Amino acid sequence: MNIYLIVFIYLFLNYASQNEDGSEVERTSRFSTTLPGVAHVPFLTPAVVQERRPLIVAVMSAAASGTSKAAHGDVAAKRKKGPGALATAYLVIYNVVMTAGWLVIAVGLVRAYLARGSYHGLYYSIEKPLKFFQTGAVLEILHCAVGIVPSSVVLTGFQVMSRVFLTWAVTHSVKEVQSEDSVLLFVTAWTVTEIIRYSFYTFSLLNHLPYLIKWARYTFFIVLYPMGVTGELLTIYAALPYVQKTGLYSVTLPNKYNFSFDYYTFLILIMISYIPLFPQLYFHMIRQRKKVLGHIEDYGKVE
Amino acid sequence: MVNSKSATGNKRVANGAVVPAPLPVQAQSKRKPAKKTKKAVVFFEVEILDAKTKDKLCFLDKVEPNATIGEIKSMFHKSHPQWYPARQSIRLDPKGKSLKDEDVLQHLPVGTTATFYFRDLGAQISWVTVFLTEYTGPLVIYLLFYFRVPFIYPPKYDFTTSKHWVVHLACMCHSFHYVKRLLETLFVHRFSHGTMPLRNIFKNCTYYWGFAAWMAYYINHPLYTPPIYGEQQIRIALIIFLFCQIGNFSIHIALRNLRPPGSKTRKIPYPTKNPFTWIFLLVSCPNYTYELGSWLGFTLMTQCLPVAFFTLVGFIQMTVWAKGKHRSYLKEFRDYPPLRSPILPFIL
């Protein structure tokens, strides 16, 4: 039943893509990009990273490129030789599989809700596909490293690892938070985000980008991003007492490596780090939205 | 860890302000003998545009043909006092490379009306200042932890000293290392650039001071555990550390001697009579190799994971620098010895 649903959605979108404007103005379009690696931000095209990047993005690119001025954001804006037919085919398959996977999660959530009649404990019904597909996103770091995707390895790595961190080091590790509603909040945000993002890449690779998908990608984040961040923060906050009580992932002195680590303090620092990061990334995306969708509105006016 | 650019004896410190010598006589005497003063000197006109906005920022007429970019920068500074020469990047093409201060106007591919593009490099700070600041921090911070000043460890340990003699040894080694660096900054290194962007000082100090505090916290902790293999391990580690300190110093001296004060010549470094420099046969940047060795020795001596992290991060950064330096050497010198690797013999 799930399969038919997925196939149906695909056919629909494909049909809808016939009349659309195709590839975007600023993208090289031949190959997919993982988002240009702005942490936690699903909706960026690579080319636009160049513009007035927030400090955290600039710092991370600088860190990534060391002393050389690689600035992968620049690369994306220029015409680059495509990654080749084989790499493109692989990327299409990758993005299709990821889209399908997140659709499975979405459908799983809906079905579980309908079956139970309540929002509680839906995490358990999609725990395995969530772990599988979110962890699978680690491949995107590899894509950047190998060069078939023109994004910064560091930025992509940061984003993917922060998701993986929440999936494994918080939600999986602290069983008591799995029944929290905040988990549903961020899982839903991630699911919708990823479905749109991966389909966006798929269609871009195939040069048939429906305007609907592009619009969705640059609009849904307005709600989904704060929603996801709220869910994540609440989940981490809920995990704190259990971490402190059990000393999870913590190392104390004395030990022969003369090292200590307090996971509880670490989680608090993570939460605090959202404060500078989130507004920068959010407003960066809003600027990108104006840039990308702004063009289309202008065309409309001309007619 | 020193990003040792090739040396210059040119003492353009602080904001790199250089007093220009616009008079032809003085300029002539600085130059190599090739130029003669012709009776009719063709003066150049120089216009400087903003690289981004293409606005006309400055127009200089009657510029000597043998004026250097450095002199032009000084002239530009007069009309725009907020842009001292060290923060000016002058280039022929808005997106091109910066011209060097030594480049002479008439040898550049420009007509008699030269158009240059200007880019503001941002506030600058001298290399010497940055180095002194970033190295003094770890020296002081480590000692704060060593003497266990209040508010770091539980109050009953305030102003006590560790009972492990390796902790005292580690303090001496760490302090020696940074004193050596400070002295080298003042008396040995010859920097080719006078300045770097101001924001670097914050970045660099965070790195050095942060790591120093992190390492010092554990080494001087009341619950510190000395190395498993005891005296043997510490002895070997100390030998490695001292060997590499001497090696690192030898390389710095060798690099300094490559360049007489006042010149900016770049030469291939070669092994000298000092055996510690024989590593030049195999490595382009042995100062980094020895630095890595020193920190490996220190890690072994203290058996402390944060020290290992610091060594690793430093190694990664130095490898990036060494590879860049190696590449520049290869580009600049046709006869560069092929056996050399950037930082680790045969490996990296």
Side-chain angles (χ1 to χ4, degrees):
Chain A
M1 227 289 265
N2 291 344
I3 313 289
Y4 290 126
L5 201 56
I6 294 163
V7 170
F8 171 77
I9 292 173
Y10 258 88
L11 289 173
F12 171 79
L13 286 170
N14 234 325
Y15 174 83
S17 81
Q18 301 294 336
N19 324 323
E20 297 302 340
D21 67 322
S23 51
E24 293 168 283
V25 174
E26 65 277 306
R27 281 168 51 90
T28 53
S29 82
R30 279 297 295 149
F31 41 85
S32 164
T33 56
T34 336
L35 54 144
V38 182
H40 254 298
V41 169
F43 293 120
L44 284 186
T45 49
V48 295
V49 177
Q50 218 359 51
E51 272 221 355
R52 292 197 299 130
R53 298 181 292 178
L55 182 64
I56 185 64
V57 176
V59 167
M60 301 212 109
S61 326
S65 52
T67 51
S68 70
K69 202 187 171 294
H72 292 263
D74 297 326
V75 169
K78 300 189 179 79
R79 294 283 124 171
K80 201 183 167 185
K81 287 208 245 317
L86 185 63
T88 310
Y90 161 75
L91 285 170
V92 170
I93 295 171
Y94 172 80
N95 285 300
V96 164
V97 166
M98 293 305 264
T99 317
W102 285 94
L103 278 166
V104 162
I105 296 170
V107 167
L109 282 170
V110 170
R111 290 184 70 193
Y113 170 69
L114 292 173
R116 286 176 212 226
S118 96
Y119 291 112
H120 292 305
L122 294 183
Y123 169 77
Y124 300 103
S125 49
I126 44 86
E127 183 179 357
K128 283 204 173 39
L130 175 70
K131 284 177 178 171
F132 182 81
F133 288 102
Q134 185 58 78
T135 313
V138 169
L139 283 173
E140 287 167 45
I141 306 174
L142 209 68
H143 298 164
C144 295
V146 163
I148 53 178
V149 167
S151 294
S152 155
V153 174
V154 167
L155 295 182
T156 309
F158 185 79
Q159 190 220 327
V160 171
M161 292 321 288
S162 72
R163 286 282 191 91
V164 166
F165 175 79
L166 244 129
T167 307
W168 290 98
V170 180
T171 315
H172 166 79
S173 302
V174 186
K175 302 215 178 329
E176 293 85 347
V177 307
Q178 289 168 4
S179 49
E180 293 278 333
D181 291 340
S182 55
V183 173
L184 179 65
L185 202 59
F186 73 74
V187 169
T188 312
W190 290 4
T191 307
V192 179
T193 300
E194 299 298 67
I195 293 171
I196 298 173
R197 180 166 79 92
Y198 286 116
S199 8
F200 178 89
Y201 293 142
T202 312
F203 288 119
S204 304
L205 279 166
L206 301 170
N207 285 323
H208 272 294
L209 181 66
Y211 179 73
L212 180 66
I213 303 273
K214 173 153 74 170
W215 180 86
R217 192 196 184 204
Y218 282 98
T219 308
F220 277 42
F221 80 87
I222 296 176
V223 168
L224 290 177
Y225 192 29
M227 185 171 137
V229 165
T230 309
E232 292 169 25
L233 283 174
L234 286 173
T235 308
I236 299 175
Y237 185 72
L240 287 177
Y242 301 104
V243 168
Q244 187 168 49
K245 196 163 47 134
T246 61
L248 181 68
Y249 298 146
S250 299
V251 176
T252 55
L253 290 175
N255 60 72
K256 66 181 172 185
Y257 297 115
N258 292 302
F259 178 70
S260 69
F261 180 71
D262 184 20
Y263 193 47
Y264 176 80
T265 313
F266 181 71
L267 284 176
I268 292 180
L269 290 173
I270 296 271
M271 289 178 71
I272 293 174
S273 75
Y274 275 72
I275 298 176
L277 289 176
F278 169 69
Q280 282 191 58
L281 297 171
Y282 190 63
F283 291 113
H284 178 58
M285 289 161 71
I286 294 199
R287 278 195 297 271
Q288 307 304 32
R289 177 171 194 264
K290 282 201 181 67
K291 196 180 178 220
V292 171
L293 298 183
H295 292 308
I296 314 305
E297 282 156 19
D298 289 338
Y299 288 142
K301 282 187 200 130
V302 167
E303 283 162 36
Chain B
M1 182 163 86
V2 171
N3 186 7
S4 48
K5 310 260 182 167
S6 37
T8 179
N10 198 335
K11 296 292 175 212
R12 295 186 196 189
V13 288
N15 62 7
V18 168
V19 178
L23 304 169
V25 176
Q26 261 181 288
Q28 289 280 320
S29 60
K30 271 201 281 194
R31 304 284 164 270
K32 295 213 172 99
K35 291 164 208 50
K36 295 187 197 146
T37 337
K38 290 209 184 113
K39 282 285 161 67
V41 177
V42 180
F43 285 109
F44 279 63
E45 295 178 328
V46 172
E47 64 167 4
I48 301 181
L49 310 178
D50 185 296
K52 271 185 246 163
T53 63
K54 311 288 189 297
D55 290 339
K56 209 175 191 186
L57 296 171
C58 179
F59 185 81
L60 306 161
D61 57 358
K62 287 234 168 145
V63 181
E64 292 287 324
N66 50 21
T68 61
I69 295 292
E71 287 159 5
I72 291 172
K73 281 185 183 175
S74 305
M75 292 187 244
F76 185 44
H77 174 44
K78 287 210 187 74
S79 60
H80 293 249
Q82 75 275 26
W83 289 325
Y84 42 85
R87 69 189 277 180
Q88 297 177 27
S89 164
I90 302 289
R91 35 180 89 171
L92 288 166
D93 179 76
K95 294 197 172 73
K97 281 183 69 180
S98 257
L99 294 168
K100 300 205 195 81
D101 279 2
E102 306 82 58
D103 289 341
V104 175
L105 184 56
Q106 63 182 357
H107 293 156
L108 295 169
V110 292
T112 47
T113 304
T115 303
F116 293 124
Y117 293 92
F118 160 77
R119 225 172 143 257
D120 182 16
L121 296 171
Q124 298 284 303
I125 186 167
S126 82
W127 273 72
V128 174
T129 310
V130 173
F131 271 36
L132 292 178
T133 319
E134 70 190 15
Y135 295 153
T136 309
L139 187 62
V140 170
I141 289 172
Y142 193 100
L143 290 171
L144 291 176
F145 284 87
Y146 176 74
F147 289 114
R148 292 187 182 155
V149 308
F151 301 108
I152 302 174
Y153 303 114
K156 67 175 175 180
Y157 296 109
D158 288 350
F159 297 117
T160 57
T161 47
S162 175
K163 57 182 184 225
H164 305 289
W165 66 273
V166 65
V167 173
H168 307 302
L169 182 64
C171 181
M172 288 190 273
C173 288
H174 188 270
S175 306
F176 171 79
H177 179 77
Y178 281 101
V179 167
K180 168 180 159 290
R181 286 212 201 178
L182 286 167
L183 293 174
E184 283 172 345
T185 305
L186 290 169
F187 301 113
V188 177
H189 294 312
R190 291 198 169 128
F191 300 100
S192 30
H193 300 283
T195 68
M196 65 168 84
L198 183 64
R199 80 187 88 89
N200 276 15
I201 195 173
F202 301 108
K203 189 164 58 96
N204 292 8
C205 285
T206 306
Y207 171 79
Y208 277 105
W209 297 17
F211 262 115
W214 195 39
M215 296 191 295
Y217 175 77
Y218 289 105
I219 299 171
N220 298 295
H221 201 282
L223 296 176
Y224 171 75
T225 311
I228 310 179
Y229 296 106
E231 206 160 311
Q232 219 179 355
Q233 184 173 339
I234 299 168
R235 196 179 304 131
I236 296 175
L238 181 63
I239 292 171
I240 296 173
F241 178 81
L242 288 175
F243 183 90
C244 293
Q245 289 289 286
I246 299 173
N248 180 262
F249 180 70
S250 306
I251 302 297
H252 286 156
I253 293 291
L255 288 172
R256 170 195 170 86
N257 292 337
L258 275 186
R259 185 184 263 189
S263 78
K264 273 196 182 177
T265 51
R266 295 158 66 82
K267 292 201 278 222
I268 304 176
Y270 283 106
T272 67
K273 290 202 185 68
N274 183 343
F276 285 99
T277 63
W278 295 352
I279 193 177
F280 268 121
L281 290 168
L282 299 173
V283 167
S284 290
C285 300
N287 49 320
Y288 297 146
T289 316
Y290 281 122
E291 185 71 21
L292 171 68
S294 296
W295 286 108
L296 284 174
F298 193 69
T299 308
L300 194 65
M301 190 193 298
T302 56
Q303 198 171 295
C304 179
L305 197 58
V307 180
F309 275 131
F310 178 64
T311 308
L312 179 67
V313 175
F315 174 59
I316 292 171
Q317 175 66 88
M318 288 191 288
T319 304
V320 170
W321 287 338
K323 283 187 172 242
K325 188 88 201 161
H326 185 75
R327 224 176 299 129
S328 329
Y329 277 142
L330 287 172
K331 234 194 272 185
E332 189 165 347
F333 303 108
R334 294 280 132 206
D335 56 340
Y336 195 72
L339 191 62
R340 294 190 191 182
S341 313
I343 186 172
L344 294 178
F346 307 116
I347 308 172
L348 200 55

